[in-house]
Amino acid sequence: MAQWGDAEEWAGLVSSEGCPICRQGKPVNIIADLDASWLVMGDDAPGPPLPGTCALFSKRHAAELHELAPDEACAFMRDVLLVSAAVQAASGAVKMNYEVHGNTIPHLHMHFFPRQVGDPFEHGPIEPRQAGTPEGLRRHREIRDDVIRALNPEPAMVPA
Ligand SMILES: [Zn+2]
């Protein structure tokens, strides 16, 4: 949970010296390396409650959006547009949802939630920690494969 009550620990996380993302160099489960960010999408069981859920991590440490310089913020937002379009196309989402918190890991990242008619949270807030279902995990992996293909162009064909 958030270490807001421990001012020293929280300051370390916010400043990047104690940030787990910065300490390991990058997040885990990266499926696309974009200009200003990495797209992260795991595929472990039981999977997310909303298939296609993923998160985009800024390559530059920032705890708050306003800590990015305007050109850095524009580069991050260009990546957001690419990811949003790719995830909606892959998932057939009726609506994309976006969330930026960083309450536990204050390294700038945006969550993407493809929403579907009849999804478990249609009339309330999303609870991302709710376990997915086996059918949802199968769908999540299909979406993940499609997003990987969409955001990672094929290497140029080299004549034999
Ligand atoms: Zn960081």
Side-chain angles (χ1 to χ4, degrees):
M1 281 310 294
Q3 296 81 4
W4 294 351
D6 184 330
E8 192 174 327
E9 184 179 0
W10 181 247
L13 287 171
V14 166
S15 72
S16 89
E17 280 80 35
C19 170
I21 304 300
C22 292
R23 289 173 70 112
Q24 66 191 17
K26 53 180 67 172
V28 297
N29 293 321
I30 294 171
I31 64 164
D33 185 337
L34 303 176
D35 286 348
S37 60
W38 296 288
L39 181 61
V40 166
M41 196 171 184
D43 68 345
D44 292 341
L50 295 171
T53 293
C54 54
L56 190 65
F57 280 76
S58 171
K59 289 182 177 176
R60 213 257 290 156
H61 180 89
E64 306 295 348
L65 277 164
H66 63 253
E67 293 170 7
L68 295 178
D71 62 322
E72 292 174 319
C74 288
F76 184 75
M77 189 53 72
R78 280 194 294 273
D79 292 349
V80 167
L81 303 183
L82 286 174
V83 170
S84 181
V87 173
Q88 185 170 42
S91 66
V94 68
K95 178 72 184 76
M96 291 298 299
N97 286 184
Y98 319 89
E99 295 184 9
V100 176
H101 301 282
N103 298 322
T104 304
I105 300 178
H107 180 118
L108 178 61
H109 59 286
M110 179 180 289
H111 299 273
F112 294 76
F113 299 101
R115 305 302 306 273
Q116 306 289 346
V117 173
D119 77 34
F121 314 113
E122 191 167 350
H123 301 294
I126 297 168
E127 174 42 81
R129 294 183 182 94
Q130 181 174 310
T133 63
E135 171 58 22
L137 179 59
R138 187 194 61 72
R139 181 69 187 123
H140 178 71
R141 288 172 171 160
E142 286 176 355
I143 294 167
R144 185 175 182 274
D145 288 346
D146 285 350
V147 171
I148 289 171
R149 276 191 288 274
L151 296 180
N152 293 279
E154 295 281 327
M157 293 292 288
V158 178

